[in-house]
Amino acid sequence: MSFAPDVETFSFPDELRPEIDRILAKYPEARKQSAVMPLLHLAQRQHGGWLPKAALDHVAEFLEMPKIRVYEVASFYDMYNTKPTGRVQVRVCTTTPCWLCGSDDIVRAAKDTLGLEIGESSEDGRFFLREFECLGACCNAPMMWIDDDYYEDLDYAKAVAVLEALKRGETPEPGPQSGRKGSEPKGERKTLVEAGRSSRTPKQPEAATQPSSAPVPDETPVRKGRPEDHQHEPTDPIAEAADEQVGKVKNGSLGDEAVAIDPEPGRTTTTKKDAD
Amino acid sequence: MPKLTIDGQEIEVPAGSTVLQACEAAGREIPVFCFHPRLQIAGNCRMCLVEMEKSPKPIASCAMPAGDGMVIKTDTPQVHKARKGVLELLLINHPLDCPICDQGGECDLQDITLFYGPDSSRFAENKRPVADKYLGPLISTHMTRCIHCTRCIRFLDEIAGVEELGACDRGEHMEITTWIESALTSEMSGNIIDLCPVGALNSKPYEYRARTWELRKTESIDVMDAVGSNIRVDARGSEVMRILPRLHEDVNEEWISDKTRFAYDGLKKRRLDVPFVKKDGKLATSTWRAAFAAIRDELKDVPGNRIGFVIGDQVDCETMVLVKDLATALGSPNVDCRQDGTKLTAAARGAYLFNTTIAGIEQADACLLIGTNPRHEAPLVNARLRKRSRMGGFKVGRIGEPFDLTYPVTDLGAGGQTLRELSDGKHSFAEVLENASRPMLILGQGPLARADGAAILALAGEVAERFGMVGDDWNGFNVLHTAASRVGGLDLGLVPGEGGLDVAGMLQPGALDVLFLVGADEVEAKGLDGTFVVYMGTHGDRGVHGADVILPGAAFTEKHGTYVNTEGRPQRAKLAVFPPGEAKEDWKILRALSEVLGLTLPLNTMGDVRRRMAEIAPSLARIDEIEPAPFGGFGVAGDIGAEPFASPLRDFYLTNPIARASSVMQECSTLFVQGGSTGATGTHG
């Protein structure tokens, strides 16, 4: 393997056509230039992690926009690479929260394991190591972003393990490497442990008492958060109150899905409720 | 009409104004870098910060719409502090190379820093390095000086219509670039040099040649095309150092084309600076006395109808007055100012003017282009058309060659056939013209110069009539000229008299005994063996081939002269430098010649000449005023050939002797027209 070559011509293959159409359908015909960013991502993925000039020109032609406008976009955003890079893109977050939690170690681990300095690609074209500004996973700091996945709660050894696995051609399990789920608190629960003081008892409108009229979401409920986030002491009165409400809904037609009706009409959110 | 208070003064401004405009209306000066009244608002330099009551932070006045009841303060400690802060930040990466910077002396950053800036910097680190960019043979760059106002980007996007510059990368790494190091392909790109508020974009030919305060500034008129752009000629000693645009809202706004701006080096090359007389088949330097004597000897006993005059494209009206009177005195009916053989006549003024006027284009709602490429024939007319097009609700159709005019154009067809269909109402574009309330058409010189030009003119007149292009307050019939002298020549009636020969007739071998080429360089006078050819002009260009006597004349920067633009607007060019060597002002040459010939013309001063000019064509005495011309008198109806209409200009950069002598224009021609390479690399220039 080596870097994806700089090419003279570039075009989207027919297989990508449905995906391109799906992207273009989001924007009015007259404003199709708005699709420049998703199409650049598509092109970058197709071309092994970076965008040769031919790809930028092709996107410009494809969207009928001046080339310089595409160059501006591609150079403005950090996640487009306009110079050859390795295929596996290893980005270590080094912004303050990660740094405080030891991102220096992660950088060191990456340098040691991959044998690369920041901003370098390996000679065989497999890995590209770079620093990145905050990736929004501060609650799981420190972290790395490798291709499409976040590897969180790292320390030197765990980072080395992830990268070694990648080097062996395996795909390590993404997410926190510390064993915790998502960004649940480390250790014992420390908030909402006291009983009865809160006035924030969930208010449910009539819908809760007339389950049959509760709006039923017409799509598969989106999982928000992780089920374990809702684990609690059974004696927690707030949780009990919530359970009571949920229970009513549960008795209706929604199975284990809790429906919270937003005061704003037309908006319905669902949360998955685990059975206690 | 929002009413606001600025520094305690109440002022009412038109709706849609910005706070900046309101402040200016109230007589407050607000420093700006990125704001430009003819470009869209960017609001990125932050120089125009002012204080607004109830706003916790200062506001960018260029981007804030003026609202009713706003209380603005422009002279408070907070405003002063904000300006100082902005300037300190701008100067962090700006080099302190003012002493060698071309912009020094006319630099916004320099001036504004002097008045509003801090006296020192707290920045001790290295300044940011930025590689200079290659933007072609006209513009040199010093990108470390760039303050990212983005005026150049906006100009090219909005006015020139060539989206080639952009801001790549971001934050501290932002750079203005073409990304691929290619020359800008706009024929108006030079204007970004004027727009640049610092010394980042400079004129390449002018670079390091002069300081602004050494230059003598003369307000003049351009003759590179028939637009009559208002220019300022900056000269030092006997040399024209540069040409800049001057504001004229109705003509060129504040832009000029690259040919106008950069062809001036042609004024210093291949110049004729002494008279020449042919001896033993070879041209030899001579004296005025000897040259006049040679002409006198040759003209002896030659009947008037064997003498002819061809007038060139850059001849001033004063000279043409003398030509007219001299031809009359010699009894010659063979006078023609239409070098390219265009079939326009002097009789119907309305049929050869750009009647809508250039500013009038903004009122039109549909336009038909007939055999013209305004982008090259008159870049500033094209800029107006683009401006109108950007306002929306403007449909442009074209009969002729397809060419990117920088705005949407519907191609209707190639030639006379389509025009005929249109005049019969059979073409689909007829509906557009029918529904337009102010339609216009622009007829180029290409079709008019053909053998069937008169018939095309007649048909265009029919089209104008059919679609109601001419009314009480609207005249949509336009002829776009390419020669600066043409409208003046037609106004003065410099067309063949009764029984006279036109240009083509005069150039027939054996047709004449003596032929005067008055600055006429677009005609071939080579094979005229029996004809004694007198060339009077500025450059050793095409006209001197085959000349027997050469009289060195003055270029447009070297004499006072009147030029009438394509709209019929007379404007006066002024003397900026004296003619080189023994060259003389053209009208004086003819006046002196008339005396040698014993036909002394009674025009001894410029005043006399201009009085005579007003006698022949009263409209030429009313400077900068357009005399509306009546509609009608369009050619002679007839058959139109099947050949497609074509623009007469094959090479925008080399249309006249001055431009052809200019090495800058030659380089542009090589690069842009012939598609060649000048061997430019990223570090070029």
Side-chain angles (χ1 to χ4, degrees):
Chain A
M1 269 216 293
S2 63
F3 298 140
D6 194 357
V7 289
E8 291 291 315
T9 57
F10 176 96
S11 60
F12 288 121
D14 288 342
E15 304 91 83
L16 281 179
R17 197 63 228 191
E19 176 64 8
I20 291 169
D21 288 341
R22 194 186 62 78
I23 292 167
L24 290 178
K26 292 180 188 170
Y27 311 102
E29 177 62 26
R31 296 271 182 280
K32 66 176 174 183
Q33 294 98 312
S34 306
V36 63
M37 294 183 63
L39 286 196
L40 283 176
H41 270 300
L42 216 55
Q44 176 162 298
R45 207 169 279 247
Q46 180 192 329
H47 194 70
W50 72 282
L51 290 161
K53 186 179 152 285
L56 301 176
D57 290 350
H58 180 68
V59 170
E61 253 161 60
F62 195 85
L63 297 174
E64 292 165 19
M65 60 196 283
K67 288 175 182 172
I68 185 72
R69 297 284 97 89
V70 178
Y71 302 157
E72 283 179 329
V73 171
S75 65
F76 185 90
Y77 292 100
D78 244 3
M79 294 177 201
Y80 299 117
N81 299 311
T82 49
K83 296 201 174 77
T85 63
R87 280 162 204 271
V88 178
Q89 316 238 336
V90 180
R91 302 109 165 166
V92 185
C93 175
T94 53
T95 308
T96 318
C98 276
W99 176 70
L100 285 169
C101 294
S103 67
D104 285 353
D105 287 342
I106 315 303
V107 171
R108 195 160 49 82
K111 284 180 179 176
D112 292 351
T113 319
L114 301 174
L116 298 173
E117 285 299 313
I118 294 292
E120 283 183 354
S121 294
S122 59
E123 268 170 37
D124 62 2
R126 269 190 78 190
F127 289 97
F128 172 51
L129 173 65
R130 62 177 300 192
E131 283 183 302
F132 224 86
E133 293 308 319
C134 185
L135 287 162
C138 312
C139 42
N140 293 65
M143 57 84 67
M144 288 190 292
W145 175 33
I146 301 176
D147 284 346
D148 290 344
D149 295 317
Y150 276 18
Y151 294 87
E152 303 157 317
D153 290 346
L154 299 170
D155 54 26
Y156 183 87
K158 285 174 185 143
V160 169
V162 167
L163 291 168
E164 285 294 350
L166 280 164
K167 274 177 96 172
R168 288 192 302 271
E170 296 163 15
T171 311
E173 179 69 21
Q177 304 294 306
S178 59
R180 69 164 161 161
K181 300 277 188 177
S183 41
E184 67 178 354
K186 285 178 184 166
E188 287 298 297
R189 180 171 187 163
K190 296 189 182 68
T191 56
L192 297 178
V193 289
E194 246 176 285
R197 283 224 215 112
S198 173
S199 60
R200 285 180 58 239
T201 313
K203 282 182 195 160
Q204 288 287 30
E206 305 80 59
T209 51
Q210 297 169 351
S212 56
S213 68
V216 180
D218 54 4
E219 53 186 340
T220 325
V222 182
R223 192 178 66 168
K224 292 247 171 112
R226 298 186 186 232
E228 289 75 17
D229 294 349
H230 297 274
Q231 275 181 356
H232 53 268
E233 301 293 323
T235 49
D236 186 339
I238 298 170
E240 259 178 7
D243 275 356
E244 198 188 330
Q245 300 290 341
V246 168
K248 285 176 184 168
V249 178
K250 195 173 168 179
N251 293 338
S253 58
L254 287 172
D256 63 352
E257 295 297 329
V259 180
I261 294 154
D262 200 280
E264 288 175 48
R267 265 186 59 199
T268 306
T269 54
T270 62
T271 42
K272 183 166 178 164
K273 176 72 184 78
D274 257 23
D276 289 330
Chain B
M1 295 279 280
K3 197 181 257 179
L4 23 67
T5 313
I6 291 162
D7 293 344
Q9 178 189 347
E10 265 205 3
I11 188 156
E12 208 170 329
V13 291
S17 301
T18 62
V19 171
L20 179 78
Q21 285 164 328
C23 290
E24 281 173 354
R28 296 289 175 282
E29 190 188 315
I30 309 288
V32 291
F33 291 117
C34 72
F35 176 79
H36 191 279
R38 282 173 221 281
L39 303 175
Q40 278 185 4
I41 295 164
N44 53 9
C45 75
R46 316 312 288 178
M47 196 60 235
C48 63
L49 294 175
V50 295
E51 207 177 317
M52 182 171 77
E53 214 162 71
K54 295 190 192 121
S55 163
K57 298 189 286 181
I59 57 159
S61 60
C62 74
M64 175 68 82
D68 208 28
M70 274 182 176
V71 179
I72 305 290
K73 290 177 189 140
T74 68
D75 195 20
T76 63
Q78 192 196 19
V79 172
H80 290 295
K81 193 176 164 213
R83 286 174 183 165
K84 269 205 172 71
V86 167
L87 278 166
E88 188 175 7
L89 288 169
L90 284 176
L91 291 170
I92 277 180
N93 278 317
H94 191 86
L96 290 176
D97 59 356
C98 303
I100 59 138
C101 175
D102 267 345
Q103 193 85 358
E106 51 181 13
C107 175
D108 289 359
L109 186 59
Q110 213 175 28
D111 295 349
I112 291 174
T113 304
L114 181 67
F115 282 97
Y116 306 104
D119 52 2
S120 60
S121 173
R122 288 171 288 174
F123 187 74
E125 286 78 7
N126 285 333
K127 289 181 190 267
R128 164 183 107 117
V130 190
D132 290 343
K133 307 291 182 292
Y134 171 75
L135 297 181
L138 303 176
I139 299 161
S140 73
T141 60
H142 292 270
M143 297 316 277
T144 48
R145 296 176 187 155
C146 178
I147 57 167
H148 307 129
C149 69
T150 69
R151 276 185 187 177
C152 48
I153 299 178
R154 283 176 283 147
F155 173 82
L156 287 175
D157 286 1
E158 295 163 22
I159 313 280
V162 178
E163 290 195 52
E164 289 176 353
L165 270 189
C168 283
D169 293 313
R170 60 178 162 159
E172 220 217 331
H173 304 287
M174 177 171 155
E175 292 184 19
I176 306 290
T177 178
T178 58
W179 177 286
I180 46 170
E181 298 283 341
S182 64
L184 300 175
T185 60
S186 170
E187 61 297 313
M188 293 181 47
S189 63
N191 292 302
I192 64 176
I193 299 166
D194 295 340
L195 284 173
C196 185
V198 295
L201 303 175
N202 291 318
S203 161
K204 216 174 233 181
Y206 169 71
E207 202 174 23
Y208 302 135
R209 297 288 167 86
R211 307 309 315 240
T212 54
W213 53 86
E214 310 170 326
L215 301 172
R216 201 170 56 245
K217 291 141 182 117
T218 311
E219 300 196 336
S220 192
I221 300 298
D222 170 56
V223 299
M224 294 293 146
D225 53 31
V227 172
S229 297
N230 286 220
I231 54 169
R232 195 183 90 192
V233 181
D234 284 7
R236 187 180 58 188
S238 61
E239 202 181 350
V240 174
M241 299 306 295
R242 64 172 178 181
I243 286 178
L244 296 177
R246 198 151 55 85
L247 184 73
H248 194 312
E249 290 292 351
D250 293 335
V251 181
N252 56 320
E253 296 183 281
E254 61 188 85
W255 322 119
I256 51 175
S257 75
D258 286 353
K259 190 161 50 175
T260 304
R261 184 186 299 267
F262 293 108
Y264 65 86
D265 69 320
L267 292 168
K268 302 164 209 167
K269 291 178 185 144
R270 287 176 22 195
R271 283 304 296 272
L272 301 170
D273 52 359
V274 284
F276 288 82
V277 176
K278 199 174 238 172
K279 263 192 198 130
D280 310 325
K282 264 189 159 174
L283 283 169
T285 55
S286 181
T287 60
W288 280 106
R289 209 170 285 277
F292 282 161
I295 298 169
R296 184 190 56 207
D297 294 346
E298 202 62 39
L299 277 174
K300 208 174 275 173
D301 303 328
V302 174
N305 61 1
R306 301 285 293 170
I307 303 168
F309 293 85
V310 177
I311 318 282
D313 288 349
Q314 296 182 321
V315 179
D316 54 302
C317 291
E318 284 78 0
T319 306
M320 289 194 275
V321 168
L322 270 289
V323 171
K324 190 181 170 82
D325 284 0
L326 184 61
T328 313
L330 287 166
S332 163
N334 310 317
V335 182
D336 205 342
C337 67
R338 302 163 302 179
Q339 255 193 113
D340 54 7
T342 162
K343 301 294 180 289
L344 296 168
T345 59
R349 196 161 184 261
Y352 66 76
L353 290 187
F354 199 94
N355 294 299
T356 305
T357 73
I358 295 170
I361 291 171
E362 288 176 35
Q363 262 87 56
D365 51 5
C367 180
L368 175 66
L369 303 173
I370 306 171
T372 180
N373 174 359
R375 186 166 172 193
H376 283 176
E377 289 169 29
L380 290 149
V381 170
N382 199 51
R384 236 11 126 112
L385 285 164
R386 177 174 162 79
K387 184 179 182 187
R388 176 64 193 88
S389 185
R390 276 172 59 84
M391 292 176 192
F394 186 56
K395 289 214 172 86
V396 185
R398 166 173 51 202
I399 304 177
E401 298 166 293
F403 192 89
D404 176 18
L405 292 180
T406 71
Y407 44 87
V409 175
T410 319
D411 276 303
L412 311 178
Q417 176 89 27
T418 316
L419 189 60
R420 177 81 65 197
E421 278 171 26
L422 205 57
S423 84
D424 293 342
K426 284 183 204 149
H427 199 280
S428 55
F429 197 72
E431 202 180 326
V432 173
L433 293 175
E434 202 83 66
N435 295 335
S437 60
R438 290 185 157 189
M440 62 182 282
L441 67 79
I442 300 178
L443 181 56
Q445 294 299 305
L448 287 172
R450 293 173 17 163
D452 53 3
I456 294 171
L457 179 64
L459 191 55
E462 264 176 53
V463 169
E465 207 145 2
R466 182 191 164 91
F467 296 107
M469 291 193 185
V470 180
D472 294 338
D473 60 342
W474 180 252
N475 188 340
F477 183 86
N478 301 295
V479 172
L480 184 59
H481 287 269
T482 54
S485 69
R486 188 66 45 81
V487 174
L490 291 169
D491 278 354
L492 292 168
L494 288 171
V495 290
E498 213 161 304
L501 299 168
D502 62 3
V503 170
M506 284 188 254
L507 293 174
Q508 290 298 322
L512 297 175
D513 289 333
V514 178
L515 173 62
F516 286 89
L517 297 177
V518 184
D521 282 288
E522 315 303 319
V523 293
E524 212 45 75
K526 243 180 184 171
L528 304 175
D529 287 338
T531 311
F532 186 80
V533 179
V534 179
Y535 175 79
M536 186 174 113
T538 54
H539 284 74
D541 203 65
R542 289 174 200 165
V544 299
H545 299 302
D548 294 286
V549 172
I550 296 172
L551 306 175
F556 73 106
T557 50
E558 296 154 6
K559 61 188 170 193
H560 297 288
T562 307
Y563 293 92
V564 188
N565 82 350
T566 190
E567 307 168 288
R569 183 193 300 275
Q571 300 184 105
R572 291 241 158 103
K574 295 200 183 76
L575 179 140
V577 294
F578 288 101
E582 292 183 33
K584 296 275 183 281
E585 288 173 55
D586 305 54
W587 74 269
K588 286 184 182 166
I589 298 174
L590 290 170
R591 165 66 182 71
L593 179 62
S594 73
E595 196 169 326
V596 172
L597 298 176
L599 303 164
T600 310
L601 299 172
L603 305 171
N604 298 323
T605 63
M606 189 55 121
D608 290 344
V609 178
R610 287 191 172 155
R611 266 189 293 281
R612 174 77 183 121
M613 186 162 80
E615 231 172 82
I616 305 172
S619 67
L620 299 194
R622 289 190 282 279
I623 295 305
D624 204 18
E625 273 178 42
I626 299 175
E627 177 104 347
F631 180 77
F634 301 106
V636 188
D639 287 337
I640 294 174
E643 315 89 75
F645 292 161
S647 167
L649 300 193
R650 291 294 116 201
D651 189 339
F652 166 70
Y653 296 98
L654 303 175
T655 53
N656 58 56
I658 299 172
R660 281 191 290 266
S662 155
S663 54
V664 177
M665 289 295 105
Q666 292 284 1
E667 198 178 345
C668 286
S669 171
T670 312
L671 189 61
F672 299 118
V673 183
Q674 293 148 37
S677 161
T678 51
T681 63
T683 53
H684 184 83

